Amino acid sequence: MRSTYIRALGCALGATQVAAHATFQNLWVNGVDYITQCARLPSSNSPVTNVASNDIRCNAPNVAVSKKCPVPAGSTVTVEMHQQNGDRSCSNEAIGGAHYGPVQVYLSSVSDATKADGSSSWFKIFADTWAKNSAGGSGDDDFWGTKDLNKCCGLMNVKIPSDIAPGDYLLRAEALALHTAGSSGGAQFYMTCFQITVSGSGSAKPAGVSLPGAYKASDPGILVNIHAPMAGYTAPGPAVYSGGSVKVAGSGCAACESTCKPGSGPTGTIGGGGTTSPTSTTGGGGNGGGASSTTTGGGGSAPTGCTVAAYGQCGGQSYTGCTTCASGSCKKQNDFYSQCIP
């Protein structure tokens, strides 16, 4: 009887874990929503578990997109995570299923963000990791970066160091889920790379680490049992660069984390003079078509009589919003995102 119960519980937990997988999808710059236009969206919301794989850099398939988001040095960007590509609803946890662990962000200086493969060095600019909950008993009860993501609708503010040299960078947002990390290979990494161009007058070029290489499967921050009481936790990777920032796990939602509303309509002017018009989506597959396309496939018919502003989403797998561009044409960036390009 007991073995039957354990097998049933294991199946239920497995189903929950699959449903609770997630991706970083959207980038805000100083409160302006750039949606997914500079995101290398993963092909699925499944984690990377092999730290020796090149997928640990930018997930899979690590396909570059055509756009770069402009980011002034010293500004605040906000990375946004949700369980399904295209979903920006605050009604669901950003990463559910008790996927507790740290959130960290890296930068890599590159000559051209639309061509870089992530093999250049990375330096860490942000961390929201772990803090002891005096009222709790195990690590599950403690404060974690992913719990902060859930509390703040998947939004996490990240300061861009003010002293770094201008130029192109890959910005890598990573959430590490430790619920099955008690055995080697059980830790789950969820990451997305964003293509950005940093402006400013800085000159710093921080030393970095290699990915893969910086993480080992045996690192105490990767191979760890969080279901027992924890006296401390050290996140994997290097220390946060001196010009970066650290958020205390369990602290409140800051500006944008609490005021920016994903999927609520136009939120700010983005490149090219357009405004974003994000749409929360559900449904099946399919890719957006051209400017005159009215269906997305899998999700049924798209709305008619509406248009998408420049640089807004007009198609992609599971997308059910408008597909007609106000200007330009709807061009596929990857399987999950097509964009109105003037």
Side-chain angles (χ1 to χ4, degrees), residues 276-306:
T276 63
S277 299
T279 304
S280 296
T281 61
T282 57
N287 295 316
S292 60
S293 173
T294 57
T295 60
T296 57
S301 297
T304 58
C306 61

Side-chain angles (χ1 to χ4, degrees), residues 130 132 136-142 144 224-232:
W130 170 90
K132 185 68 178 177
S138 71
D140 294 284
D141 303 307
D142 292 337
W144 291 98
V224 57
N225 176 18
I226 68 168
H227 308 304
M230 300 177 63

Side-chain angles (χ1 to χ4, degrees), residues 20-335:
H21 293 171
T23 57
F24 284 102
Q25 306 171 32
N26 308 284
L27 189 73
W28 305 66
V29 182
N30 285 334
V32 175
D33 187 0
Y34 280 78
I35 50 175
T36 59
Q37 69 164 310
C38 60
R40 297 184 178 185
L41 289 179
S43 59
S44 78
N45 65 352
S46 297
V48 174
T49 57
N50 182 1
V51 296
S53 166
N54 283 341
D55 291 345
I56 202 69
R57 294 171 179 167
C58 294
N59 215 319
N62 190 16
V63 175
V65 294
S66 62
K67 294 296 180 182
K68 310 172 191 178
C69 290
V71 178
S75 64
T76 296
V77 301
T78 306
V79 293
E80 183 181 335
M81 168 175 270
H82 296 284
Q83 291 186 33
Q84 300 292 337
N85 280 334
D87 174 25
R88 305 187 76 184
S89 171
C90 295
S91 61
N92 300 319
E93 289 185 316
I95 179 168
H99 282 36
Y100 304 144
V103 176
Q104 305 189 101
V105 178
Y106 291 76
L107 284 179
S108 178
S109 176
V110 296
S111 58
D112 185 345
T114 65
K115 295 181 174 61
D117 63 0
S119 60
S120 52
S121 64
W122 298 85
F123 60 100
K124 190 185 297 183
I125 63 167
F126 174 83
D128 179 353
T129 60
W130 170 90
K132 185 68 178 177
N133 182 355
S134 59
S138 71
D140 294 284
D141 303 307
D142 292 337
F143 301 109
W144 291 98
T146 56
K147 288 188 179 182
D148 288 342
L149 276 173
N150 287 337
K151 179 171 57 178
C152 303
C153 190
L155 299 168
M156 185 76 74
N157 285 354
V158 178
K159 177 190 174 185
I160 301 299
S162 59
D163 62 347
I164 60 172
D168 278 12
Y169 290 81
L170 293 180
L171 183 148
R172 176 183 177 274
E174 168 196 289
L176 170 56
L178 300 171
H179 56 295
T180 57
S183 58
S184 182
Q188 298 183 356
F189 292 85
Y190 300 88
M191 78 291 292
T192 293
C193 287
F194 298 89
Q195 301 170 178
I196 67 172
T197 299
V198 173
S199 58
S201 57
S203 59
K205 297 182 179 180
V209 297
S210 296
L211 290 173
Y215 294 170
K216 300 292 187 293
S218 58
D219 287 346
I222 295 176
L223 182 61
V224 57
N225 176 18
I226 68 168
H227 308 304
M230 300 177 63
Y233 175 78
T234 301
V240 174
Y241 174 61
S242 59
S245 60
V246 174
K247 180 173 182 175
V248 177
S251 57
C253 302
C256 195
E257 293 174 347
S258 59
T259 58
C260 294
K261 303 299 182 184
S264 61
T267 53
T269 300
I270 63 173
T275 57
T276 63
S277 299
T279 304
S280 296
T281 61
T282 57
N287 295 316
S292 60
S293 173
T294 57
T295 60
T296 57
S301 297
T304 58
C306 61
T307 59
V308 181
Y311 301 107
Q313 185 174 4
C314 53
Q317 183 172 318
S318 299
Y319 180 75
T320 58
C322 300
T323 58
T324 300
C325 297
S327 63
S329 59
C330 186
K331 296 184 179 180
K332 178 180 176 180
Q333 305 297 313
N334 53 52
D335 287 344

